Amino acid sequence: MTWKDGEREDATTYKVVVNHEEQYAIWPEDKATPPGWQEVGKAGNKDTCLAYIKEVWTDMRPLSLRKKMEEMAQTPPAPRPRTNEPEPPSLVERLSEGTHPLAGSHRPRLREH
């Protein structure tokens, strides 16, 4: 990892890594790949690696979320059973009716020295 003084140019060579959730990151090529991540075979300067990630990582959702959403789309949850009982009032409706006690406090000013 090398930085050019003055311009602070990043001369680091990076590698692109991916985790089990198919989330991408860049990592310095001279460092060991962190646990839970795998190299994808792409390396270069920061801009090159970030451009590659932008190209391949088109869905930012973690893999587990994508799978769960696909599963729910194929087998949506059963609708709630209808009952003759009216829906309970919402929180806004409950707070909008009647009177409600308020609690307050006064925070003393700090003394200036």
Side-chain angles (χ1 to χ4, degrees), residues 11-80:
T12 305
T13 301
Y14 292 94
K15 57 188 170 187
V16 178
V17 293
V18 64
N19 67 15
H20 70 283
E21 288 283 2
E22 295 183 359
Q23 297 169 312
Y24 288 81
I26 61 173
W27 195 255
E29 189 175 47
D30 62 343
K31 303 286 183 189
T33 302
W37 294 81
Q38 295 179 346
E39 297 178 30
V40 300
K42 183 70 175 177
N45 66 26
K46 189 175 196 175
D47 290 339
T48 299
C49 291
L50 292 176
Y52 174 81
I53 290 172
K54 186 175 183 178
E55 181 183 322
V56 297
W57 194 13
T58 57
D59 191 338
M60 303 298 275
R61 298 173 299 165
L63 178 62
S64 59
L65 175 61
R66 294 193 316 259
K67 286 181 177 180
K68 185 67 174 175
M69 291 178 78
E70 288 172 11
E71 177 186 310
M72 289 182 72
Q74 292 174 0
T75 55
R80 289 180 27 194

Side-chain angles (χ1 to χ4, degrees), residues 62-106:
L63 178 62
S64 59
L65 175 61
R66 294 193 316 259
K67 286 181 177 180
K68 185 67 174 175
M69 291 178 78
E70 288 172 11
E71 177 186 310
M72 289 182 72
Q74 292 174 0
T75 55
R80 289 180 27 194
R82 293 210 156 224
T83 65
N84 291 334
E85 297 176 22
E87 291 262 340
S90 70
L91 176 61
V92 171
E93 292 169 331
R94 292 192 317 254
L95 292 175
S96 299
E97 295 176 359
T99 59
H100 304 278
L102 296 176
S105 68
H106 174 72

